[in-house]
């Protein structure tokens, strides 16, 4: 258990006791697909969510594309080849092919369940995107109908171990107060990535909790240097739907065009400009009323803040900023040992943004489409594998877990979780530290983060109401340290990892960086299938 929670004197232990075959932590797409697959294998499944399964998280708040590709050899080849160079050739086709297969199968199931995919002029359903609210409402209904117990507002804070095997988890009851404890035959971590409470759309519940829980029990992480994803958003809103900025041009305050600026390959130009002056955008490449109408139908929530302010984004300039999305759009996460989505710890599986997406994206974000496919496929893989693992152990443990509540420590310092969160944000938000990386900037930030972590290891929450905030602050600090330790070790530019002091891709660093540990973070390299070394994409 985190020392912060050990030291909280007013927390009531284990107000709710749960016994199940598979415990799924996280109620986003990956968690729902994991729960469905495990329940389909006749496992007794419990899903716990920090918020409300079906409405919290990055997907539920907006529409997303899906990497849905029919099993046509030419189309599949093009789909797999499309991002290999951008990802620095760290992806693997041995992962891409099964992910595409499972995504195709699962999205077709969505259609059978009645998801209202739009139709083209020939009447054919277009299954390449979903609207988050409708998608997640359907998933919640399917999960409940499958017999899964859903516990909303039950954040997990710690995994339980029996020897070297994960056998459950504990957490907080946000509405009733007190704690819950679940004993399970296997656990699926699907708690999402970490956007450091940047106010990116739907991301403030994504604070890296799963990374911290995994690392605490010895799981490895990979790809954490690929975590410098920033989304374009209006300066006055948290809407981070960057896809529509393909129809934008970017300007200075005097309305002069910023040459080379763009939402995809020109984002570095925007970032560089923002270091010294504000940047404005206008969707003036959406040339016709028909295109504008299509954009409004495709991403209606994008336009809400504009409409409320009486701004026409197609004809008027508006100020934009880059908002950190961290590992939600990056590719780092818990390392998987194979297609069963097992981690390096027995009984622990990972899915969605909680797991590294390097196998299909390499070092560059796949955008919403790849992330959505990854959540679907790894959720299903992890759920099935967790159910099989639990059955191999004859289901859930039938005896009380040997672990007792840890002894209360005395004399530990208390801290202000909000102050810790602001301190972490001060290190990870600045573009001249995290976007344009250098040894000098990263080292200085990491020294402060390491000191912050050391101070927190002896801290406690002042009362139960602060326990979750402190746990999130710990998770964000741990995630930031993983990011910068990895970023310092990769002395090249590859994928989204940009080193101003090492601006070229180095063929000798065509490997993954695998991290473990918390107090002392250890890094090792892991080889991937040989690829063709080229210059890194922007």
């Amino acid at each position: 258990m985190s020392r912060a929670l050990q030291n909280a004197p007013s927390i009531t232990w284990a107000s709710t006791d749960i016994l199940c075959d598979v415990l799924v932590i996280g109620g986003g797409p990956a968690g729902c697909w994991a729960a469905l697959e495990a329940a389909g294998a006749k496992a007794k499944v419990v899903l716990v969510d920090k918020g409300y399964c079906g409405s919290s998280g990055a997907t539920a708040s907006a529409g997303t594309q899906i990497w849905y590709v029919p099993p046509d050899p030419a189309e599949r080849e093009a789909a797999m080849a499309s991002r290999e160079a951008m990802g620095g050739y760290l992806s693997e086709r041995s992962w891409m092919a099964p992910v595409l297969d499972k995504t195709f199968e699962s999205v077709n199931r969505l259609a059978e369940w009645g998801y209202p995919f739009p139709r083209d002029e020939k009447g054919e359903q277009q299954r390449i995107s979903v609207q988050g609210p409708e998608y997640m409402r359907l998933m919640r209904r399917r999960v409940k109908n499958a017999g899964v117990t859903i516990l909303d507002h039950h954040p997990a804070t710690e995994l339980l171990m029996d020897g070297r095997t994960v056998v459950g988890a504990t957490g907080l009851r946000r509405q009733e107060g007190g704690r819950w404890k679940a004993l399970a035959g296997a656990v699926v971590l699907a708690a999402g990535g970490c956007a450091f409470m940047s106010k990116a759309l739907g991301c403030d519940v994504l604070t890296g909790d799963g990374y911290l829980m995994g690392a605490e029990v010895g799981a490895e992480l990979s790809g954490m240097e690929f975590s410098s994803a920033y989304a374009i958003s209006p300066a006055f809103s948290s809407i981070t739907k960057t896809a529509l900025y393909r129809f934008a041009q970017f300007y200075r305050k005097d309305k002069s065009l910023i040459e080379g600026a763009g939402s995809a390959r020109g984002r570095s130009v925007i970032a560089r400009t923002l270091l010294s002056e504000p940047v404005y955008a206008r969707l003036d490449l959406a040339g016709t009323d028909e295109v504008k109408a299509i954009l409004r139908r495709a991403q209606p929530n994008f336009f809400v803040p504009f409409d409320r302010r009486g701004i026409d984004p197609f004809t008027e300039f508006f100020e934009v900023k880059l908002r950190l999305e961290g590992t939600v759009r990056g590719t780092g996460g818990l390392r998987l040992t194979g297609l069963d989505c097992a981690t390096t710890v027995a009984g622990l599986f990972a899915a969605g943004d909680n797991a590294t997406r390097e196998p299909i994206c390499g070092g560059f974000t796949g955008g919403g489409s790849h992330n959505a496919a990854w959540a679907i496929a790894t959720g299903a893989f992890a759920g099935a594998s967790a159910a099989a693992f639990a059955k191999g152990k004859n289901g859930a443990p039938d005896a009380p877990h040997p672990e007792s509540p840890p002894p209360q420590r005395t004399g530990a310092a208390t801290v202000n979780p909000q102050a810790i969160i602001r301190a972490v944000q001060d290190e990870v938000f600045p573009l001249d530290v995290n976007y344009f990386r250098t040894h000098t900037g990263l080292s200085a930030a990491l020294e402060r983060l390491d000191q912050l972590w050391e101070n927190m290891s002896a801290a406690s929450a002042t009362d139960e109401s602060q326990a979750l905030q402190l746990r999130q602050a710990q998770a964000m600090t741990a995630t930031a340290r993983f990011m910068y330790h990895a970023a310092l070790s990769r002395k090249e530019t590859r994928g989204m990892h940009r080193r101003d002091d090492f601006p070229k891709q180095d063929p000798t660093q065509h490997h993954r960086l695998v991290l473990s540990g918390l107090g002392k973070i250890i890094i090792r390299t892991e080889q991937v299938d040989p690829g063709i070394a080229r210059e890194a994409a922007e």
Side-chain angles (χ1 to χ4, degrees):
M1 152 163 287
S2 68
R3 290 179 180 175
L5 298 185
Q6 291 176 29
N7 298 334
S10 62
I11 291 178
T12 304
W13 266 92
S15 298
T16 300
D17 289 327
I18 303 164
L19 194 64
C20 59
D21 297 317
V22 176
L23 175 67
V24 178
I25 298 175
C32 286
W33 283 104
L36 276 177
E37 206 71 22
K42 309 300 182 188
K44 180 181 179 183
V45 184
V46 173
L47 183 153
V48 293
D49 191 83
K50 180 192 282 189
Y52 182 87
C53 170
S55 67
S56 61
T59 299
S61 56
T64 183
Q65 293 187 319
I66 300 177
W67 201 33
Y68 174 87
V69 184
D72 174 82
E75 288 190 51
R76 288 287 177 91
E77 168 62 28
M80 290 190 288
S82 64
R83 285 184 175 264
E84 287 178 318
M86 296 180 75
Y89 296 98
L90 294 178
S91 54
E92 296 178 38
R93 295 198 173 196
S94 59
W95 269 92
M96 292 183 189
V99 166
L100 283 168
D101 286 341
K102 178 56 74 174
T103 302
F104 186 77
E105 170 196 323
S106 301
V107 172
N108 290 344
R109 290 172 69 189
L110 275 180
E112 294 168 6
W113 295 340
Y115 181 84
F117 288 102
R119 296 180 183 275
D120 62 15
E121 62 278 5
K122 297 178 181 178
E124 297 290 331
Q125 282 190 337
Q126 300 301 296
R127 299 178 180 177
I128 58 172
S129 66
V130 291
Q131 293 298 326
E134 289 82 0
Y135 173 36
M136 292 310 301
R137 274 200 298 270
L138 174 59
M139 291 303 295
R140 180 183 175 96
R141 188 164 66 247
R142 297 297 303 192
V143 168
K144 289 197 73 171
N145 290 344
V148 175
T149 299
I150 297 176
L151 298 176
D152 298 307
H153 309 295
H154 279 57
T157 55
E158 178 203 6
L159 297 172
L160 299 175
M161 299 289 287
D162 187 1
R164 295 184 177 183
T165 302
V166 171
V167 294
T170 67
L172 301 169
R173 306 194 316 175
R174 296 180 67 180
Q175 295 187 325
E176 302 95 333
R179 299 186 58 83
W180 57 267
K181 180 167 76 173
L183 301 180
V187 174
V188 177
L189 271 176
C194 182
F196 298 96
M197 294 187 173
S198 67
K199 304 297 182 187
L201 184 62
C203 291
D204 270 12
V205 295
L206 306 174
T207 52
D209 309 349
Y211 304 151
L212 178 56
M213 284 188 280
E216 284 175 332
V217 298
E220 293 180 320
L221 299 100
S222 182
M224 293 304 289
E225 68 274 35
F226 305 119
S227 49
S228 53
Y230 287 77
I232 305 171
S233 80
F236 54 82
S237 166
S238 63
I239 295 290
T240 47
K241 301 306 294 181
T242 300
L244 269 66
Y245 288 97
R246 285 178 291 180
F247 298 89
Q249 295 190 97
F250 297 87
Y251 301 85
R252 295 184 174 83
K253 191 173 184 178
D254 64 4
K255 308 301 187 289
S256 62
L257 186 67
I258 301 174
E259 294 292 338
S263 65
R265 294 187 175 276
R267 202 170 305 186
S268 290
V269 178
I270 297 174
R272 192 75 72 180
T273 306
L274 280 169
L275 292 177
S276 58
E277 59 182 305
V279 172
Y280 296 81
R282 187 172 61 178
L283 304 182
D284 43 18
L285 299 181
T288 67
D289 290 342
E290 182 181 5
V291 172
K292 295 174 184 175
I294 291 172
L295 296 181
R296 278 192 172 271
R297 285 198 303 272
Q299 297 288 349
N301 59 354
F302 175 90
F303 295 93
V304 171
F306 292 97
D307 294 342
R308 284 176 177 166
R309 289 172 174 262
I311 298 172
D312 181 352
F314 297 110
T315 61
E316 297 180 60
F317 297 98
F318 55 94
E319 187 176 352
V320 296
K321 64 181 295 184
L322 291 180
R323 200 177 292 272
L324 182 63
E325 291 185 307
T327 63
V328 175
R329 288 278 184 174
T331 63
L334 294 182
R335 174 177 171 264
L336 303 178
T337 59
L339 283 169
D340 59 357
C341 293
T343 67
T344 45
V345 180
L348 182 63
F349 301 80
D353 293 355
N354 217 146
T356 178
R357 279 139 286 162
E358 283 177 305
I360 65 166
C361 296
F364 197 82
T365 179
S369 66
H370 287 58
N371 286 358
W374 182 251
I376 291 170
T378 56
F381 296 156
S385 302
F389 184 91
K391 286 183 178 179
K393 295 169 57 182
N394 297 317
D398 57 5
H401 189 269
E403 179 180 333
S404 301
Q408 295 291 308
R409 289 161 54 94
T410 58
T414 59
V415 296
N416 180 346
Q418 283 298 328
I420 296 171
I421 290 170
R422 286 193 296 272
V424 175
Q425 291 172 336
D426 286 344
E427 306 300 340
V428 298
F429 283 178
L431 296 169
D432 56 354
V433 177
N434 196 13
Y435 195 98
F436 301 109
R437 295 170 165 178
T438 63
H439 177 84
T440 300
L442 291 169
S443 297
L446 185 56
E447 184 176 348
R448 292 186 287 270
L449 288 166
D450 284 344
Q451 186 62 53
L452 194 61
W453 178 259
E454 185 175 334
N455 294 341
M456 272 195 298
S457 65
S460 67
T462 54
D463 55 48
E464 184 178 319
S465 67
Q466 289 207 325
L468 179 59
Q469 275 197 341
L470 181 54
R471 188 60 171 163
Q472 292 178 146
Q474 288 180 317
M476 288 169 53
T477 308
T479 302
R481 294 176 67 234
F482 291 137
M483 285 167 41
Y484 283 179
H485 272 283
L488 273 169
S489 293
R490 189 172 286 284
K491 296 179 176 61
E492 62 165 348
T493 291
R494 187 183 293 267
M496 71 169 63
H497 170 67
R498 304 168 192 82
R499 285 286 298 260
D500 272 5
D501 45 355
F502 296 98
K504 298 293 184 181
Q505 186 169 292
D506 177 2
T508 67
Q509 297 185 54
H510 180 233
H511 50 234
R512 294 190 179 133
L513 296 177
V514 178
L515 292 79
S516 60
L518 278 166
K520 179 181 179 182
I521 294 175
I522 299 169
I523 301 178
R524 67 178 178 86
T525 61
E526 181 179 59
Q527 296 302 313
V528 295
D529 291 340
I532 302 171
R534 300 176 186 168
E535 289 298 310
E538 182 181 18

